[in-house]
Amino acid sequence: MRAVLAALLVLCVIAVPAEASDNGLSIRPAMGWSSWSFIRRWPTEDKIKAQADALVSSGLREKGYVYVNLDDFYQKCDANGFVVDSYGRWAVDSAKFPSGIKVLADHIHDKGLKFGFYVTPGIAKNAVTANTPVEGTSYHAKDIADTSQTHKNYNCKNMYRLNFSHPGAQAFINSWANQMASWGVDYLKIDGVDASTIADVEAWDKALRQTGRPINFALSNNLPIAQATTWKRLANSWRTQGDVECYCGPGPNGSGFPLTDWAHVSSRFNSAAQWQPYAGPGGWNDYDSLQIGNGDQVGLTADQRRSHMTHWAMAASPLLLGTDLTALTSVDLGMLKNDRLIAVNQDGVAAQRIVNSGVNQVWRKRESNGDHIVAFYNTGTSGNSTVSVTWSQVGFSGPAAVTNLWSGASEGTVSSSYSATLRPGETRLIRARPNVQRYEAENATISQGTVDSNHAGFSGTGFVNYTNVTGSYVESTVTAATAGDATLTLRYANGTTVNRPMTITVNGTTLTRDFPGTGAWTTWANSTFTVPLAAGANAVRATATTENGGPNVDYLDVSPP
Ligand code: GCU
């Protein structure tokens, strides 16, 4: 018994993924926009408002893109680093934000959006020089700063470490978090985090919680994987790598278009393969901003942008746009609003890589309803490539009903393997729904039709010829374990050029489907539709509505609810 318990314990330790933060936030990956990629070092109140307004007018807010995250450079520096307020916290640059942060956050909230803000670890040198008081305490900056060491900071620099053994250090971070909460901050990115700043991350986590305001806590950037369980315990997301921006634009410090390049996006494939086990509700691997919105000028072709979005969706990464929302192109807006891609991102499952061979990659994930999502990529920059998997590599045995998730088109029933020939940078994203039940037409109840076998390519022993009669039908008794909407695929051929419409009736529902010419009686095509099934037996009848009769019908595939 002891041995059994011990073995169970070992199994539990192996099977239970790292614990997520229990702050109750970001149960799904955050979606929105961040100022860094496009606005870069020059954010202003007006620019941020314009982006927030565009998030609404573009319809992106309705799709779930709700965060408006103000990144670095809202602060002011002098020769000694950050200018601070009377309690030693970074002072907001009033030339850039004349109305202050609260007014900006209010504007964003009034639009039904959420406001994100930015900080880095430590305390500013100017706070220590002025020995500012720690709000609500009798402590001062000099009591809590460790002036022997500075922190990473990309902008004004001069951030001293805090001495967390002194109670005033936590009180200082609390006062800063309280100020942010009073302004209406909903998301805080703490940048410059590494293995040496765990105490700062812990202090900020505590500080955000004690505000009582839900504030999504995001760590940045290039977090070491050795401490992955720590980042997961303390925060809702963590950047796994350096910036996705190429810093190769014509503006100062490489700003402006292009924002990125394919090398910066495709480097996220290896990172996602390593970090995959750490993603889950409440804690996400953040692969950095999504550079989609402004067409090719972002530095990616349309194929590469679709691969970019596919990979972020498969990895369940936050979807934080980096682009200029005031100049969205219709092609890119279509990508960002694709409900099927968003659903793959928001399913909260991080995909695993199952093929990594030259330029070819295949990733898979299984959603809670049993669907398998499979992404194929040609990551190369020249030449087409054929990328293939078997269903057993994906993790199930066939057949499966396949839907192309970028187009939404049904690809019918695929028995055991799938392959896609892809242009350089191109992706294919499919949903494979297994447990397809096939009902051969020749085994169904047939009214005024014949079973024939004179046109090749059919499945089973034959197909049904509707004999050019109005009202001839094929009826299959379809069994479902549970009630719900089922996807049906009817395989047919129509060797004429005239449509042969039929009604499909099941459980009192009737729909009319067109069955246009397929080119030849030996050319079989799929017609896919959704019908409600009851638990148990369901009579599904396909009835010809014109005197030409129906098309030749091979089978009905049912993908159960
Ligand atoms: C041809 C064809 C049949 C088909 C029929 C039709 O006779 O060979 O398979 O059923 O046309 O018009 O329906």
Side-chain angles (χ1 to χ4, degrees):
M1 188 64 189
R2 281 265 275 295
V4 172
L5 280 178
L8 273 176
L9 202 68
V10 167
L11 273 177
C12 288
V13 168
I14 293 166
V16 172
E19 287 288 328
S21 168
D22 61 2
N23 69 2
L25 301 173
S26 204
I27 300 310
R28 292 290 176 251
M31 295 171 66
W33 174 86
S34 159
S35 64
W36 184 249
S37 305
F38 174 68
I39 303 283
R40 198 62 59 86
R41 296 175 172 229
W42 305 275
T44 65
E45 185 176 314
D46 287 346
K47 287 187 198 173
I48 303 299
K49 277 186 181 169
Q51 297 293 329
D53 295 354
L55 210 45
V56 179
S57 61
S58 63
L60 286 169
R61 178 191 64 184
E62 290 338 301
K63 296 292 180 185
Y65 297 87
V66 294
Y67 285 99
V68 176
N69 294 347
L70 172 57
D71 207 275
D72 206 354
F73 286 85
Y74 64 82
Q75 328 86 320
K76 212 175 157 149
C77 310
D78 65 20
N80 296 306
F82 291 95
V83 175
V84 297
D85 71 7
S86 58
Y87 292 116
R89 305 166 296 210
W90 293 348
V92 172
D93 186 339
S94 58
K96 290 175 168 173
F97 296 90
S99 315
I101 296 300
K102 183 167 189 321
V103 168
L104 175 63
D106 286 348
H107 175 91
I108 287 167
H109 292 146
D110 287 348
K111 298 243 154 204
L113 301 168
K114 291 174 187 276
F115 176 61
F117 207 46
Y118 176 95
V119 78
T120 69
I123 183 167
K125 182 177 178 182
N126 280 326
V128 179
T129 306
N131 201 23
T132 49
V134 175
E135 190 182 33
T137 74
S138 55
Y139 306 125
H140 288 77
K142 284 187 178 159
D143 301 328
I144 61 172
D146 171 2
T147 56
S148 69
Q149 325 173 52
T150 55
H151 272 300
K152 209 186 278 178
N153 179 281
Y154 308 96
N155 173 10
C156 303
K157 310 201 175 359
N158 295 294
M159 289 297 289
Y160 288 135
R161 287 183 183 257
L162 285 159
N163 172 11
F164 283 104
S165 63
H166 191 291
Q170 183 67 49
F172 171 69
I173 300 295
N174 288 356
S175 80
W176 207 341
N178 292 342
Q179 181 184 56
M180 292 177 190
S182 75
W183 287 344
V185 167
D186 305 297
Y187 177 110
L188 181 66
K189 167 176 168 179
I190 179 165
D191 208 354
V193 170
D194 58 30
S196 77
T197 46
I198 291 173
D200 296 80
V201 175
E202 276 171 343
W204 274 102
D205 174 43
K206 277 192 202 130
L208 295 177
R209 288 170 190 253
Q210 61 82 51
T211 67
R213 186 178 174 86
I215 301 178
N216 191 329
F217 190 32
L219 311 183
S220 184
N221 60 62
N222 203 8
L223 277 285
I225 199 166
Q227 286 80 32
T229 56
T230 301
W231 314 132
K232 189 169 173 69
R233 176 172 58 82
L234 295 172
N236 301 113
S237 64
W238 42 87
R239 287 267 307 277
T240 65
Q241 272 178 287
D243 291 354
V244 75
E245 290 85 5
C246 61
Y247 299 98
C248 58
N253 306 91
S255 59
F257 293 114
L259 304 177
T260 188
D261 56 32
W262 180 239
H264 280 81
V265 171
S266 61
S267 69
R268 265 70 187 162
F269 284 96
N270 285 343
S271 183
Q274 288 163 4
W275 284 83
Q276 181 276 334
Y278 301 103
W284 308 103
N285 299 316
D286 180 353
Y287 297 107
D288 207 1
S289 293
L290 197 60
Q291 310 298 356
I292 300 174
N294 306 131
D296 291 3
Q297 65 180 332
V298 297
L300 304 170
T301 67
D303 279 335
Q304 291 168 340
R305 296 199 295 285
R306 274 184 287 268
S307 288
H308 183 11
M309 177 112 180
T310 300
H311 186 52
W312 267 233
M314 286 300 279
S317 172
L319 295 183
L320 296 168
L321 309 178
T323 43
D324 178 8
L325 304 181
T326 68
L328 292 167
T329 67
S330 60
V331 168
D332 286 24
L333 197 53
M335 294 181 195
L336 297 174
K337 285 186 176 178
N338 188 314
D339 290 323
R340 293 172 298 273
L341 269 286
I342 293 172
V344 169
N345 175 257
Q346 297 285 302
D347 67 17
V349 182
Q352 294 168 312
R353 181 160 64 186
I354 53 172
V355 172
N356 179 25
S357 166
V359 296
N360 290 356
Q361 301 218 7
V362 182
W363 293 66
R364 63 138 191 234
K365 64 162 125 178
R366 186 168 183 271
E367 295 187 324
S368 57
N369 67 356
D371 284 358
H372 295 265
I373 311 294
V374 191
F376 301 78
Y377 304 91
N378 170 0
T379 63
T381 51
S382 67
N384 290 357
S385 187
T386 299
V387 193
S388 309
V389 283
T390 63
W391 288 156
S392 76
Q393 278 176 287
V394 174
F396 69 96
S397 48
V402 170
T403 306
N404 179 321
L405 293 180
W406 271 103
S407 70
S410 166
E411 297 189 0
T413 306
V414 177
S415 57
S416 60
S417 65
Y418 189 95
S419 75
T421 298
L422 302 173
R423 296 182 293 267
E426 199 192 1
T427 182
R428 177 81 51 86
L429 182 66
I430 62 165
R431 185 205 298 126
R433 183 168 289 175
N435 305 317
V436 175
Q437 295 149 16
R438 178 157 298 174
Y439 297 88
E440 292 287 353
E442 62 271 28
N443 299 331
T445 301
I446 300 163
S447 172
Q448 305 181 78
T450 57
V451 175
D452 293 356
S453 57
N454 56 330
H455 301 301
F458 54 84
S459 132
T461 56
F463 56 87
V464 170
N465 170 347
Y466 274 67
T467 65
N468 312 106
V469 188
T470 306
S472 51
Y473 68 78
V474 172
E475 182 178 292
S476 303
T477 303
V478 166
T479 321
T482 55
D485 282 347
T487 305
L488 271 48
T489 298
L490 189 145
R491 190 163 188 257
Y492 71 99
N494 177 356
T496 75
T497 53
V498 180
N499 179 28
R500 298 217 174 159
M502 296 199 288
T503 54
I504 314 290
T505 53
V506 52
N507 297 329
T509 302
T510 300
L511 40 117
T512 302
R513 302 286 303 175
D514 286 337
F515 295 91
T518 57
W521 292 108
T522 48
T523 302
W524 300 88
N526 293 313
S527 172
T528 297
F529 43 91
T530 302
V531 296
L533 292 185
N538 299 262
V540 180
R541 182 183 291 192
T543 308
T545 59
T546 67
E547 62 189 14
N548 288 330
N552 289 344
V553 170
D554 186 17
Y555 59 69
L556 184 69
D557 271 351
V558 178
S559 184

